[in-house]
Amino acid sequence: MQQIKRNAALVAASVVLLGLTVPLSASAAAAGPLTWTKCEGTGLDPRQRCATVDVPMDYSDPDGRTIRIAVSRIPSEKPAARRGALLLIPGGPGGDSLSDPSEKGRNLPRSVRDAYDLIGFAPRGNSPSTPVSCDTDHSDLPRTKLFPWPAAGGSVAESMATARRMSDACARDGDELLQHVSSKNNARDIDRIRVALGERKLSAWAISYGTYVGAAYLELFPRRTDRIVLDSNSHPDPVRALRAWFAALEVGVEDNFPEFAKWASRPANPYRLARSAAEVRPLFLRLAARLDRTPIPWPGANPEELNGNVLRQTMLDGFQDPADGYAAVAELMLAARKGTVPSAPQAPPDSVLRNYAAVLAATVCNDAAWPRSAAAYQKDVAASRLKYPLTAGMPRNAMVCAAWPWQPKEPPVRVTDRGPSDVLLIQNERDVATPLSGALKLREALGRRAVMVTNDATGHGAYLDNGTACGDALVSRFLATGERPRKDTYCR
């Protein structure tokens, strides 16, 4: 799941929800015990090492083709206190955690670093694991296409056309692996990583979409879990799967906008937008509507214009990390009011975006079937636009799955309370990407297996990020000692 940089929050580069990063390379390992070698990349802890684990491409054919999963490790800082391995499960779909042992490890308390080897990995399809890609056109790679924003008037016709173009590209150019990228297979790969590490049980810290993969692991391998932290929790819908995650964004934005409005109306704020919080929402809606009608040219960006949907996507991205993201949203609004634009944001190379887009599409589409009817999406989008105008119908719109060339190979994850009581959920009350309403559904599904800590906090990423000192302390204590709160807890 990476902090949002201000320019990236403007359009496309890196967002915690989707976990997009420029991949690290990992050295291939020989068959058998893992061979740990130096990781490629900058800014890494010198102790971090990388290897690969071979796993079946198709778990129904375990003796068939294998693929590589890149993994990374920083060993426990105190071997005498070592408990096991802590797997860092990334957000996404499309993100990796290869650099997390270094980056997140710096923030973990010493008691946790002593207790565990910190393990990162690139899920199947994500480079430098065996990658997938579709020859998607540059014009279909902006976030306003990957997030399926309807046309200015609410039409879904262009979204359906985009879905067909992207699906055709995957069917024409994609590897067979595209059909086997899914949340359940990600969970199965995690268990192969556990085996390769020589661990009887596995602890994990999962973030955002990673909580859905973590929940799948809890369901598929309930007796192989030790201490599991699920941070910023995805809705566990047993029918719609990740389609429910997209749908939740309309609620997440509504949960968060009042906080942005209060921030944007403070007198001392250099990015102040209005004299009162009540004025900010209508201001945003008017500005987005104006940009729908009259976009501002934006050379070097993708798309090369600042339109209403680019502003809306910037809001969605920026709300994930208020510390930087609020300023990015306000700065873009201030520029647009003057009829100007900032410098075009720096985006990753198209090859990186194609890998990311292919993993995103394959995971979401293979986890559960989506409707194929444009009329069904049009009806849902119209209803959403009326009730949730800030997101303009996007969360209910058609993405690539509306034309995906393959059907899911198995049913979606169904989370239950089957297994030991070894799960701690940590959740911010105002999380745009994984709203509290969805997290409560996961808490309910896990039943006696889980305890939930809810932070009085805003932003995506609760533990050691946008949460509270109280929540951080409870999670750290659980990881280090196994002690959880006796009941669900609210941290102010």
Side-chain angles (χ1 to χ4, degrees):
M1 323 219 165
Q2 296 93 6
Q3 290 287 333
I4 301 176
K5 307 300 182 185
R6 286 185 58 196
N7 284 343
L10 291 174
V11 172
S14 175
V15 62
V16 180
L17 170 63
L18 296 174
L20 177 59
T21 59
V22 178
L24 289 167
S25 294
S27 301
L34 293 180
T35 301
W36 297 100
T37 60
K38 183 179 180 181
C39 300
E40 295 183 12
T42 59
L44 299 177
D45 188 305
R47 297 169 299 164
Q48 181 172 310
R49 293 292 183 267
C50 288
T52 58
V53 176
D54 290 337
V55 303
M57 179 186 71
D58 179 357
Y59 277 93
S60 69
D61 182 18
D63 296 323
R65 175 184 164 188
T66 61
I67 59 172
R68 295 188 307 275
I69 303 296
V71 297
S72 59
R73 179 181 69 173
I74 292 179
S76 160
E77 295 186 18
K78 188 177 181 181
R82 183 186 182 276
R83 179 177 180 84
L86 179 67
L87 185 71
L88 308 173
I89 305 179
D96 71 70
S97 60
L98 282 174
S99 63
D100 283 359
S102 293
E103 294 176 357
K104 291 185 176 176
R106 297 185 184 108
N107 296 322
L108 284 167
R110 179 64 187 266
S111 59
V112 176
R113 302 199 311 269
D114 286 348
Y116 299 100
D117 296 347
L118 304 180
I119 308 297
F121 72 109
R124 60 171 50 209
N126 289 264
S127 179
S129 296
T130 302
V132 293
S133 186
C134 305
D135 191 20
T136 309
D137 189 78
H138 175 78
S139 63
D140 285 331
L141 290 174
R143 292 180 60 70
T144 49
K145 289 293 185 72
L146 299 179
F147 280 75
W149 292 94
S155 170
V156 306
E158 178 54 31
S159 298
M160 292 293 291
T162 301
R164 287 190 291 271
R165 288 194 303 272
M166 295 179 70
S167 293
D168 288 348
C170 290
R172 182 179 63 248
D173 307 310
D175 186 271
E176 184 186 358
L177 175 56
L178 275 171
Q179 302 177 51
H180 301 280
V181 174
S182 70
S183 296
K184 283 186 174 179
N185 281 339
N186 285 338
R188 295 178 179 115
D189 292 345
I190 286 173
D191 204 55
R192 291 297 181 108
I193 293 172
R194 176 193 64 80
V195 172
L197 293 170
E199 300 293 332
R200 186 175 65 87
K201 291 188 174 184
L202 194 65
S203 294
W205 171 19
I207 297 180
S208 192
Y209 162 71
T211 64
Y212 190 72
V213 176
Y217 189 79
L218 289 166
E219 194 62 27
L220 294 175
F221 306 100
R223 301 298 172 184
R224 297 175 191 171
T225 58
D226 188 11
R227 297 169 184 170
I228 306 297
V229 174
L230 303 182
D231 177 348
S232 306
N233 296 276
S234 298
H235 192 302
D237 192 298
V239 176
R240 295 180 299 165
L242 296 182
R243 188 176 170 215
W245 164 59
F246 273 94
L249 295 174
E250 61 193 13
V251 175
V253 168
E254 293 291 343
D255 288 347
N256 280 260
F257 201 93
E259 296 300 310
F260 171 70
K262 286 188 287 186
W263 174 90
S265 58
R266 290 175 185 163
N269 186 349
Y271 297 101
R272 191 183 190 195
L273 295 171
R275 291 171 296 178
S276 70
E279 297 174 271
V280 177
R281 181 187 179 97
L283 170 64
F284 180 91
L285 292 172
R286 287 196 304 270
L287 185 56
R290 192 185 88 190
L291 291 170
D292 283 339
R293 297 188 299 271
T294 312
I296 302 171
W298 202 354
N302 188 15
E304 290 200 335
E305 65 178 26
L306 172 55
N307 56 40
N309 285 338
V310 170
L311 177 62
R312 296 180 184 104
Q313 183 64 53
T314 301
M315 171 192 64
L316 184 63
D317 292 350
F319 280 11
Q320 296 186 54
D321 184 13
D324 294 326
Y326 280 4
V329 178
E331 185 177 36
L332 190 60
M333 291 177 67
L334 290 168
R337 283 206 295 190
K338 298 174 183 177
T340 62
V341 291
S343 299
Q346 183 73 36
D350 279 3
S351 60
V352 173
L353 290 173
R354 288 190 179 102
N355 176 225
Y356 161 72
V359 174
L360 170 64
T363 309
V364 175
C365 303
N366 291 338
D367 271 10
W370 284 49
R372 300 276 169 157
S373 164
Y377 291 109
Q378 191 66 71
K379 180 180 178 181
D380 285 350
V381 164
S384 180
R385 286 169 67 88
L386 284 174
K387 189 173 183 181
Y388 303 102
L390 289 169
T391 44
M394 179 276 291
R396 305 281 175 172
N397 197 13
M399 64 175 295
V400 61
C401 307
W404 194 240
W406 304 288
Q407 289 296 311
K409 294 183 178 295
E410 54 186 332
V413 176
R414 181 175 290 275
V415 181
T416 71
D417 64 356
R418 180 175 61 96
S421 183
D422 56 5
V423 184
L424 179 63
L425 281 67
I426 180 79
Q427 177 72 32
N428 287 345
E429 192 169 17
R430 296 170 296 279
D431 182 332
V432 66
T434 51
L436 178 61
S437 54
L440 290 171
K441 293 293 185 182
L442 181 58
R443 169 68 186 91
E444 179 183 2
L446 288 169
R448 63 177 185 82
R449 294 205 67 179
V451 171
M452 182 167 171
V453 175
T454 303
N455 289 322
D456 179 11
T458 303
H460 188 55
Y463 179 46
L464 303 178
D465 193 357
N466 289 309
T468 64
C470 162
D472 291 350
L474 291 173
V475 173
S476 296
R477 184 167 64 190
F478 171 61
L479 287 174
T481 71
E483 182 182 349
R484 286 186 315 182
R486 293 183 179 180
K487 60 181 181 179
D488 291 354
T489 302
Y490 188 77
C491 281
R492 297 191 183 277

